């Protein structure tokens, strides 16, 4: 990845993780891992949140293709246990879990964030939604953008895109897909 390109890699059902993609991971607490290049901003965001009484906790971060397959298989098995055929179970599972190679989690740039001390993460997600851009992150799957992202609203899923892109995406109320489309058109 040249220059800042690594920050803006689009990964979804139509755009798999590039075959030549590699990532150097940094271990966080509770056995989570992120691309080491995003660690300073991530740490600052969490420090600033905690200073305001918000206690975010990453419960999903980097996933290998094998781990992604394991999660998908678990969903398929659960749906089959509910009585769905294998084909129906696979179809249903793919509505909530990406196929290996098509999950942003394989980049080390995506985080699923919950709250550490309370049951309800709403306040944490609200703080992150309002402030994450300051640290180069975006709410990746906004409420009203399912048709564009292909993923239903996930208030817990944040993605690192770098400060410049995060500010523009947030100010304009657009998705990474729309940002990249505009960038390519320009």
């Amino acid at each position: 990845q040249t220059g800042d390109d690594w920050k803006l890699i689009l990964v979804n059902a139509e755009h798999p993780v590039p075959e030549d993609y590699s990532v150097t991971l940094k271990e966080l607490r509770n056995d989570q891992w992120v691309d080491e290049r995003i660690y300073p901003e991530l740490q600052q965001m969490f420090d600033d949140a905690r200073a305001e009484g918000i206690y975010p906790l990453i419960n999903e971060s980097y996933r290998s293709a094998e781990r992604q397959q394991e999660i998908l298989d678990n969903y398929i098995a659960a749906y089959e246990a509910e009585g769905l055929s294998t084909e129906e179970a696979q179809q249903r599972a793919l509505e909530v879990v990406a196929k290996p190679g098509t999950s942003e989690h394989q980049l080390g740039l995506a985080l699923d964030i919950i709250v550490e001390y309370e049951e309800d993460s709403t306040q944490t997600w609200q703080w992150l939604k309002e402030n994450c851009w300051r640290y180069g992150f975006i709410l990746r799957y906004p409420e009203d953008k399912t048709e564009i992202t292909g993923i239903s609203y996930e208030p817990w899923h944040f993605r690192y895109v770098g400060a410049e892109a995060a500010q523009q995406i947030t100010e304009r109320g657009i998705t990474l897909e729309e940002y990249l489309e505009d960038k390519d058109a320009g």
Side-chain angles (χ1 to χ4, degrees):
Q1 303 93 29
T2 56
D4 285 345
D5 294 353
W6 64 273
K7 297 176 188 174
L8 298 174
I9 293 173
L10 180 62
V11 171
N12 58 29
E14 287 83 44
H15 299 90
V17 176
E19 285 186 26
D20 62 346
Y21 186 78
S22 66
V23 60
T24 303
L25 297 170
K26 172 153 182 67
E27 186 173 7
L28 310 175
R29 66 189 187 124
N30 73 321
D31 203 30
Q32 297 297 322
W33 299 79
V34 296
D35 183 316
E36 69 179 4
R37 296 170 289 191
I38 76 169
Y39 180 75
E41 289 94 336
L42 176 63
Q43 188 61 54
Q44 189 62 56
M45 181 168 72
F46 275 39
D47 287 348
D48 292 351
R50 289 183 190 115
E52 293 189 36
I54 304 287
Y55 296 93
L57 178 72
I58 297 169
N59 72 330
E60 277 292 326
S61 53
Y62 172 79
R63 286 185 204 141
S64 65
E66 296 76 24
R67 176 74 181 124
Q68 190 69 28
Q69 185 65 55
E70 195 179 294
I71 293 168
L72 182 59
D73 290 345
N74 289 342
Y75 270 88
I76 293 168
Y79 287 130
E80 285 177 333
E82 289 176 13
L84 295 180
S85 70
T86 300
E87 193 177 312
E88 291 170 324
Q90 287 174 339
Q91 195 175 345
R92 194 84 159 283
L94 287 169
E95 291 172 11
V96 288
V97 181
K99 279 184 191 168
T102 66
S103 170
E104 284 193 331
H105 284 287
Q106 287 177 246
L107 297 174
L109 304 176
L111 310 165
D112 289 350
I113 300 175
I114 57 170
V115 67
E116 191 159 10
Y117 300 112
E118 299 153 37
E119 279 155 48
D120 183 11
S121 297
T122 308
Q123 187 181 357
T124 298
W125 295 333
Q126 191 58 44
W127 188 92
L128 289 167
K129 186 177 170 184
E130 291 169 9
N131 295 286
C132 68
W133 65 271
R134 301 173 199 279
Y135 310 92
F137 290 85
I138 58 169
L139 173 65
R140 182 65 179 92
Y141 304 116
E143 207 161 356
D144 55 351
K145 299 288 188 170
T146 301
E147 295 78 38
I148 295 165
T149 64
I151 305 286
S152 55
Y153 178 49
E154 291 189 355
W156 56 84
H157 186 106
F158 293 85
R159 159 74 193 264
Y160 185 81
V161 293
E164 184 185 326
Q167 183 173 358
Q168 289 182 33
I169 288 168
T170 303
E171 282 176 359
R172 294 170 57 199
I174 60 174
T175 62
L176 178 57
E177 284 84 353
E178 292 167 303
Y179 175 79
L180 293 172
E181 206 173 277
D182 290 353
K183 204 171 177 243
D184 289 345

